[in-house]
C-alpha cells in the first residue's frame, strides 16, 4: 500500500452485520442503540456509537479478528482499538481534515447499500497531491480531489496525512437509508513473529536495527512516513527476502511523485533489513516490522506510579481495567504477578509492593501518538493507584 487502497468483498459475513444493524434501528420504539450526536459546527456532523452496541458479540469478534489479521498480513499495521460505527443521514458531513495524530492509515469499512442509496454525497473525498498550476489546470472538481464511493462490504485504506472528508449527505433521515460505516485508524505495532523464532529475541534484533539506522538516514531529513515489511527468516537466522507491505515515504515537496531522496532512503532501509541476522530456530519464520522516518524516540516507554494499596486487590482492579481497555487496543495475557501486553505495543505492567510499573517497546509512532499513549496510560494507572487498592 502507498497512498490508498480499496478491498472489495472484504468480510464474508457482511450481510449478517447489515442484518444486525437493520434489526437494531428499524423500529424506533424498540431501538436500544445509544448514539452520540457528534457535532463540531462547520466541521463535523454525524452520529456514532461503539460497534458492540449494534452487532452480536460473536459476530463482532469474528469481524474484529478478520480486520486485524488482514491488516497485519497485508499492510503490516494494526487497528488502534475498536473503530466507531458512523451513521450519516440528511445534513451530515465530515469537513476537510487530516488524522496525522491518530494513525498511519485511516480506514472506512462500508455497510451502506450504495447501489440502491436514496441520497447524494457520502463518498470519501481524498485531496490529490500537489498544487494545481493555473497554467495547466482549470481548478475545480476532481482535478483537486478524488471521490471514493462507499460500496457495500468495501474496505478503504488511505494515508492519514491526506486531507480528506465526506461530502454532505442530501436525502433521507431514515437510519436504514443512511451512510453506515465503521471508521478507524491503523498504526505500527511491535515486531510480529510467526514461526519458531523466539519473539523476544527477534524484537531485540529489530530494535537494534532501528538504532543502527540513526546515522545512515540522518541526511534524509525531508523524507517522512512509514514503511512496513515482512522478512522471511531461514532456520539459521538469515533474511531470505524482504516484502514491502506499506510504503508511504514522501517529501513535502514531491508528495507521492518519484523522488531521488525517497528512493535512496527506501533502498537504505531495505538493504539494512535484508542484512539482519536473527538467532537460529527449528525452522523458517516470518517477521513483520516497521520503520518511521524521521526516526522517533527510540527509548522504551517507562512509567512508574507509586501506590499505598494492597497489591492483590490492585491486581484484580488492573485486570478489570485492562479488559475494558481492550476496546482501546489493549490485548493482554496474565502471567503470574504481571500482565504481558501484546497490543498496541509489546510490554508488561506489574504491581510491586509500593508502585505500579509499566514498560513498553519504543513505538514507530510520531511523537504526538507516543505522548498520547503515555498520558492515557499514566492517567489510567494513576487512578488505579488512588482508588483501586
Amino acid at each position: 500500500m502507498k497512498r490508498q487502497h480499496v478491498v472489495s468483498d472484504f468480510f464474508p459475513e457482511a450481510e449478517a452485520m447489515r442484518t444486525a444493524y437493520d434489526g437494531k434501528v428499524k423500529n424506533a420504539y424498540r431501538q436500544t442503540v445509544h448514539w452520540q450526536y457528534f457535532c463540531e459546527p462547520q466541521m463535523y456532523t454525524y452520529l456514532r456509537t461503539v460497534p458492540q452496541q449494534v452487532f452480536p458479540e460473536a459476530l463482532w469478534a469474528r469481524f474484529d479478528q478478520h480486520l486485524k489479521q488482514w491488516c497485519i498480513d497485508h499492510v503490516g499495521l494494526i487497528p488502534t482499538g475498536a473503530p466507531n460505527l458512523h451513521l450519516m443521514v440528511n445534513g451530515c458531513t465530515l469537513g476537510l481534515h487530516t488524522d496525522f495524530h491518530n494513525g498511519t492509515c485511516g480506514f472506512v469499512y462500508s455497510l451502506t447499500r450504495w447501489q440502491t442509496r436514496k441520497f447524494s454525497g457520502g463518498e470519501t473525498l481524498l485531496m490529490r497531491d500537489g498544487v494545481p498550476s493555473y497554467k495547466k489546470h482549470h481548478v475545480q472538481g476532481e482535478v483537486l480531489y478524488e471521490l471514493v464511493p462507499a460500496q457495500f462490504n468495501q474496505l478503504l485504506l488511505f494515508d492519514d496525512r491526506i486531507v480528506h472528508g465526506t461530502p454532505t449527505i442530501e436525502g433521507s433521515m431514515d437510519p436504514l437509508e443512511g451512510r453506515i460505516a465503521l471508521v478507524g485508524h491503523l498504526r505500527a505495532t511491535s515486531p510480529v513473529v510467526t514461526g519458531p523464532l523466539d519473539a523476544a529475541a527477534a524484537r531485540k534484533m529489530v530494535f537494534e536495527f532501528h538504532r543502527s539506522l540513526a546515522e545512515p538516514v540522518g541526511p534524509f531529513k525531508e523524507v517522512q512516513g512509514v514503511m512496513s515489511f515482512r522478512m522471511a527468516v531461514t532456520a539459521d537466522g538469515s533474511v531470505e527476502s524482504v516484502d514491502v507491505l506499506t510504503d508511504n515515504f514522501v517529501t513535502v515537496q514531491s508528495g507521492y511523485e518519484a523522488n531521488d531522496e525517497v528512493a535512496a532512503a527506501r533502498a537504505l532501509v531495505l538493504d539494512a533489513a535484508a542484512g539482519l541476522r536473527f538467532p537460529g530456530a527449528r525452522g523458517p519464520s516470518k517477521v513483520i516490522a516497521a520503520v518511521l522516518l524521521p526516526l522517533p524516540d527510540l527509548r522504551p516507554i517507562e512509567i512508574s506510579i507509586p501506590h499505598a494499596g494492597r497489591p492483590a486487590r490492585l491486581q484484580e482492579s488492573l485486570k478489570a481495567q485492562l479488559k475494558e481497555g481492550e476496546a482501546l487496543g489493549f490485548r493482554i495475557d496474565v502471567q503470574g504477578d504481571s500482565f504481558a501486553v501484546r497490543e498496541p505495543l509489546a510490554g508488561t505492567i506489574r504491581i510491586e509492593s509500593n508502585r505500579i510499573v509499566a514498560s513498553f517497546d519504543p513505538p514507530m509512532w510520531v511523537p504526538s501518538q507516543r505522548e498520547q499513549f503515555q498520558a492515557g496510560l499514566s492517567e489510567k494507572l494513576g487512578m488505579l493507584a488512588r482508588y483501586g487498592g
Side-chain angles (χ1 to χ4, degrees):
M1 178 183 147
K2 285 186 173 289
R3 193 176 191 275
Q4 67 200 69
H5 185 67
V6 169
V7 185
S8 302
D9 300 322
F10 176 71
F11 184 50
E13 297 181 80
E15 285 291 348
M17 293 185 75
R18 179 60 203 238
T19 298
Y21 170 84
D22 290 350
K24 284 283 188 177
V25 305
K26 67 181 178 182
N27 188 324
Y29 296 98
R30 295 180 181 177
Q31 183 181 165
T32 57
V33 179
H34 299 290
W35 295 99
Q36 177 191 12
Y37 177 51
F38 194 91
C39 182
E40 178 68 29
Q42 300 181 348
M43 192 65 196
Y44 306 118
T45 305
Y46 61 95
L47 297 159
R48 72 181 185 186
T49 190
V50 295
Q52 293 89 338
Q53 285 260 336
V54 174
F55 307 113
E57 182 179 356
L59 177 60
W60 173 249
R62 291 194 295 275
F63 176 84
D64 186 49
Q65 181 57 36
H66 180 77
L67 174 66
K68 185 188 309 177
Q69 195 61 54
W70 189 95
C71 290
I72 284 287
D73 290 344
H74 292 84
V75 293
L77 308 171
I78 64 165
T80 59
N84 284 311
L85 180 67
H86 284 200
L87 168 62
M88 300 180 73
V89 291
N90 185 60
C92 289
T93 191
L94 296 179
L96 294 177
H97 66 287
T98 70
D99 284 302
F100 179 65
H101 297 297
N102 292 329
T104 300
C105 300
F107 70 84
V108 178
Y109 173 69
S110 176
L111 290 171
T112 308
R113 301 289 191 190
W114 191 260
Q115 297 302 323
T116 57
R117 70 192 184 282
K118 299 177 181 178
F119 60 82
S120 62
E123 302 91 346
T124 299
L125 184 156
L126 301 173
M127 295 297 291
R128 298 190 186 278
D129 284 351
V131 179
S133 167
Y134 72 90
K135 295 180 179 179
K136 298 179 180 178
H137 297 130
H138 178 62
V139 183
Q140 67 177 24
E142 294 197 49
V143 171
L144 293 169
Y145 56 77
E146 178 181 359
L147 294 175
V148 183
Q151 301 285 355
F152 181 74
N153 198 21
Q154 171 185 281
L155 179 70
L156 165 67
L157 300 96
F158 56 89
D159 187 333
D160 255 336
R161 297 169 297 183
I162 297 172
V163 176
H164 61 279
T166 302
T168 303
I169 300 284
E170 297 182 13
S172 174
M173 294 289 288
D174 187 341
L176 293 172
E177 301 292 347
R179 179 188 188 267
I180 304 140
L182 289 159
V183 178
H185 304 275
L186 310 177
R187 65 174 67 157
T189 184
S190 297
V192 177
V193 178
T194 54
L197 178 62
D198 180 74
R203 283 167 42 212
K204 183 178 179 181
M205 286 294 304
V206 172
F207 302 149
E208 291 303 321
F209 159 68
H210 288 152
R211 293 185 181 95
S212 73
L213 288 174
E215 184 175 347
V217 301
F220 302 104
K221 299 184 186 302
E222 299 302 315
V223 179
Q224 54 184 254
V226 173
M227 177 187 287
S228 66
F229 43 86
R230 182 190 298 109
M231 294 175 281
V233 181
T234 63
D236 68 5
S238 60
V239 175
E240 188 173 45
S241 63
V242 182
D243 295 322
V244 176
L245 302 174
T246 291
D247 173 12
N248 65 16
F249 284 177
V250 297
T251 68
V252 173
Q253 295 78 15
S254 66
Y256 275 95
E257 295 296 325
N259 177 281
D260 291 343
E261 199 171 6
V262 169
R266 180 183 297 122
L268 189 155
V269 171
L270 291 177
D271 288 348
L276 288 175
R277 186 78 180 209
F278 292 90
R282 296 188 309 276
S285 301
K286 304 283 186 183
V287 179
I288 293 175
V291 170
L292 169 71
L293 294 182
L295 284 171
D297 187 346
L298 296 178
R299 295 173 299 171
I301 293 174
E302 303 283 355
I303 300 171
S304 179
I305 306 289
H307 75 80
R310 290 176 290 175
R313 186 168 178 178
L314 286 168
Q315 191 87 358
E316 290 304 312
S317 297
L318 180 58
K319 185 186 297 184
Q321 280 200 21
L322 290 175
K323 185 67 177 175
E324 292 174 4
E326 289 191 359
L328 303 175
F330 281 95
R331 294 292 185 271
I332 61 168
D333 297 308
V334 180
Q335 295 183 346
D337 294 334
S338 66
F339 297 87
V341 182
R342 290 176 280 125
E343 297 172 15
L345 294 171
T348 59
I349 304 175
R350 65 182 186 276
I351 310 289
E352 297 183 350
S353 59
N354 61 355
R355 63 176 187 161
I356 305 170
V357 179
S359 178
F360 289 87
D361 292 346
M364 285 290 107
W365 300 344
V366 298
S368 60
Q369 294 169 4
R370 176 177 172 133
E371 291 162 8
Q372 183 184 47
F373 176 79
Q374 287 181 255
L377 186 58
S378 294
E379 181 181 6
K380 183 182 287 289
L381 297 180
M383 291 185 65
L384 176 71
R386 289 192 296 273
Y387 307 116

